[in-house]
């Protein structure tokens, strides 16, 4: 056996996961926190860190019982990483191996606290039942979400909130979008199967969507570097067809139509629009210049072209040339509560006060962009949110302010929220809609 293929030692992975989890306490996202992880340790660390976040409520309630004063961030991170593994069903490691490895990690990074880590984890193993019974008395531990989030979900989804919370604890599906300019989805499915990857189509409402199960690194996807395919959630793949295709009485966008993607970064939907319609004159804006660079990179990989510009889309005077748009995609900044499975840290990073601020920004963006549409033009408002305030209430308020706007019914869109987990109830899916994906809201307004 060569050293190069040896699995990294568990104590190294626990330590890296502890670092990532300690940064979460400082308000950094897990994606950001994992960027500092050495590449060889990243897959294992990511698995441990995500498990830590999915057990955040339970680990917090256990640590509150087990450690009298708040532990330093790295010590708390290590306890969280180890406790989450001890709680996992089925367990991935024998409990005593896990404790020994956590202590070894502590000796390396926080030697003065190694005794504490040992004592806390061993006490957990001895008194697990009683400690868990107390922990589960807190709603954060019982439901693995902050209380304000639970209340909002209960209010917005009185029949489905519990199923939605359970769904949020599952790992996300690995969905791909096939680049139609290079091959048909059926041809790419055959390429995947030829490469030994199990894959199937996502469903008729997302014709370019493919589901690969089990997930694999993108480097194993045939043609990824050459732009054959991109990673994109199923519900997000509805934006391009909704904006571009004739829905009901709405015709297809004309050749060479002027399209604005107002909040474009990192560029998933920009690319999808252009893969379907490379003839479009597309302007991609984002207020975050650094994130906008990722749009450029994506377009280069996929060999697509758009004009990219870093502006606050609300500051119309700074960037608009006065030529009306035929179509606008407003994929607005939002709570990201609908992509809770892929980003389980978001629920713990967000504050309830963020929601009101986001709702205000979304309304300002709608107000600023609506007048830029040509008569008969269309605006697709989208958020990856499950909260009514960012979805149906926002759309309702817009229609109230703009009696000249017509909301165009979106097929398969009963109740406005799309892509809810199948076990959250078929009532929220429209007829024929079957993307086992995330919470997304779409409203299509015609001027
Ligand atoms: C939901 S993300 C967009 C995702 C993107 N459409 C995609 O499919 O890859 C929202 C984006 O809006 C940007 N944003 C937030 N406020 C903005 C504003 N006032 N003007 C322009 N961009 C804004 C953020 O930087 C962020 O990149």
């Amino acid at each position: 056996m060569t050293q190069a293929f040896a699995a990294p030692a568990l104590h190294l992975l626990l330590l890296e996961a502890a670092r990532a989890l300690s940064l979460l306490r400082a308000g950094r996202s897990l994606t950001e926190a994992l960027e500092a992880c050495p590449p060889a340790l990243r897959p294992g660390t990511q698995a441990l860190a995500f498990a830590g976040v999915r057990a955040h409520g339970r680990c917090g309630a256990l640590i509150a019982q087990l450690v009298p004063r708040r532990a330093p961030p790295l010590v708390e991170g290590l306890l969280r990483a180890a406790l989450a593994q001890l709680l996992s069903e089925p367990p991935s490691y024998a409990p005593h191996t896990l404790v020994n490895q956590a202590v070894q990690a502590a000796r390396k990074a926080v030697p003065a606290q190694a005794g504490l880590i040992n004592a806390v984890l061993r006490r957990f193993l001895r008194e697990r039942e009683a400690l868990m019974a107390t922990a589960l008395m807190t709603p954060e531990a019982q439901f693995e979400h902050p209380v304000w989030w639970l209340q909002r979900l209960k209010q917005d989804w009185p029949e489905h909130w519990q199923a939605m919370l359970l769904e949020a604890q599952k790992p996300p599906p690995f969905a791909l979008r096939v680049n139609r300019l290079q091959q048909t989805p059926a041809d790419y499915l055959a390429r995947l199967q030829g490469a030994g990857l199990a894959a199937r189509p996502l469903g008729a409402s997302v014709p370019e969507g493919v589901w690969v199960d089990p997930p694999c690194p993108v480097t194993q996807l045939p043609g990824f570097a050459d732009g054959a395919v991109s990673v994109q959630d199923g519900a997000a793949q509805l934006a391009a067809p909704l904006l571009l295709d004739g829905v009901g009485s709405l015709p297809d966008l004309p050749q060479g139509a002027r399209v604005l993607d107002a909040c474009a970064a990192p560029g998933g939907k920009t690319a999808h629009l252009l893969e379907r319609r490379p003839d479009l004159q597309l302007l991609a804006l984002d207020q975050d210049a650094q994130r906008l660079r990722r749009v450029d990179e994506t377009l280069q990989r996929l060999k697509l072209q758009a004009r990219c510009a870093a502006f606050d889309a609300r500051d119309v005077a700074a960037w608009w040339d006065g030529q009306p748009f035929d179509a606008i995609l407003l994929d607005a900044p939002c709570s990201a509560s609908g992509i809770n499975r892929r980003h389980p840290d978001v629920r713990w990073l967000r504050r309830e006060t963020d929601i009101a601020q986001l709702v205000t920004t979304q309304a300002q963006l709608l107000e600023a962009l609506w007048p830029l549409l040509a008569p008969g033009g269309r605006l697709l408002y989208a958020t990856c949110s499950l909260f009514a305030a960012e979805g149906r209430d926002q759309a309702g308020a817009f229609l109230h302010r703009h009696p000249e706007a017509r909301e165009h019914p979106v097929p398969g869109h009963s109740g406005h929220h799309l892509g809810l987990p199948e076990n959250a109830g078929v009532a929220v899916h429209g007829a024929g809609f079957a993307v086992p994906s995330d919470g997304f809201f779409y409203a299509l307004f015609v001027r």
Side-chain angles (χ1 to χ4, degrees), residues 232 261-269 285-288 291 311-314 331-333 361 365:
Q232 188 176 42
D261 187 353
C263 295
K269 298 184 191 70
L285 291 185
D286 202 283
Q287 70 171 12
D288 183 333
R291 275 172 68 84
F311 284 103
D312 182 331
R314 294 170 294 186
D331 188 18
T361 304
L365 282 161

Side-chain angles (χ1 to χ4, degrees), residues 138-387:
T138 66
E140 287 94 339
Q142 195 187 347
F143 294 109
E144 285 297 349
H145 281 73
V147 170
W148 69 267
W149 189 299
L150 290 172
Q151 285 167 344
R152 203 172 262 271
L153 216 57
K154 251 188 206 178
Q155 179 190 306
D156 291 346
W157 298 99
E159 287 168 32
H160 303 299
W161 66 276
Q162 278 166 312
M164 289 157 98
L165 292 173
L166 283 178
E167 194 69 19
Q169 286 297 92
K170 294 185 185 165
F174 185 50
L176 305 178
R177 184 190 76 241
V178 176
N179 182 356
R180 271 192 180 275
L181 294 174
Q182 295 199 12
Q183 73 265 280
T184 65
D187 286 345
Y188 193 73
L189 264 177
R191 276 181 88 181
L192 284 171
Q193 279 149 7
L197 297 165
R200 61 183 167 90
L202 261 182
S205 26
V206 280
E208 289 88 22
V210 169
W211 193 1
V212 176
D213 188 25
C216 67
V218 289
T219 46
Q220 281 179 23
L221 296 171
F224 179 82
D226 299 323
V229 73
S230 301
V231 177
Q232 188 176 42
D233 284 334
Q237 293 185 41
L238 287 154
L242 287 175
L243 190 71
L244 299 177
D245 298 354
V247 175
S249 59
L250 212 58
D252 283 4
L253 277 182
Q255 276 289 310
R258 281 173 54 87
V259 176
L260 170 69
D261 187 353
C263 295
K269 298 184 191 70
T270 319
H272 195 193
L273 288 167
L274 290 167
E275 284 168 7
R276 285 189 145 235
R277 291 285 304 272
D279 61 287
L280 298 176
Q281 297 178 61
L282 197 144
L283 172 61
L285 291 185
D286 202 283
Q287 70 171 12
D288 183 333
Q290 215 176 331
R291 275 172 68 84
L292 193 68
R293 272 202 285 277
R294 291 178 57 198
V295 182
D296 266 331
E297 287 161 16
T298 300
L299 295 181
Q300 269 180 36
R301 181 179 66 83
L302 296 167
K303 303 168 188 73
L304 299 168
Q305 288 201 330
R307 201 157 72 76
C308 298
F311 284 103
D312 182 331
R314 294 170 294 186
D315 188 6
V316 170
W319 60 266
W320 191 43
D321 63 4
Q323 298 286 312
F325 293 101
D326 300 298
I328 297 176
L329 171 61
L330 172 52
D331 188 18
C334 73
S335 62
S337 49
I339 48 172
N340 210 2
R341 286 189 294 184
R342 187 165 308 290
H343 299 288
D345 49 338
V346 165
R347 64 190 94 156
W348 301 111
L349 290 167
R350 283 261 175 249
R351 299 281 162 267
E352 186 168 24
T353 47
D354 296 344
I355 307 301
Q357 278 171 18
L358 287 162
V359 168
T360 303
T361 304
Q362 292 152 4
Q364 289 169 344
L365 282 161
L366 278 166
E367 287 311 298
L369 299 177
W370 179 246
L372 314 190
L373 270 184
R378 62 194 76 169
L379 183 150
L380 183 66
Y381 171 75
T383 55
C384 53
S385 170
L386 291 167
F387 299 146

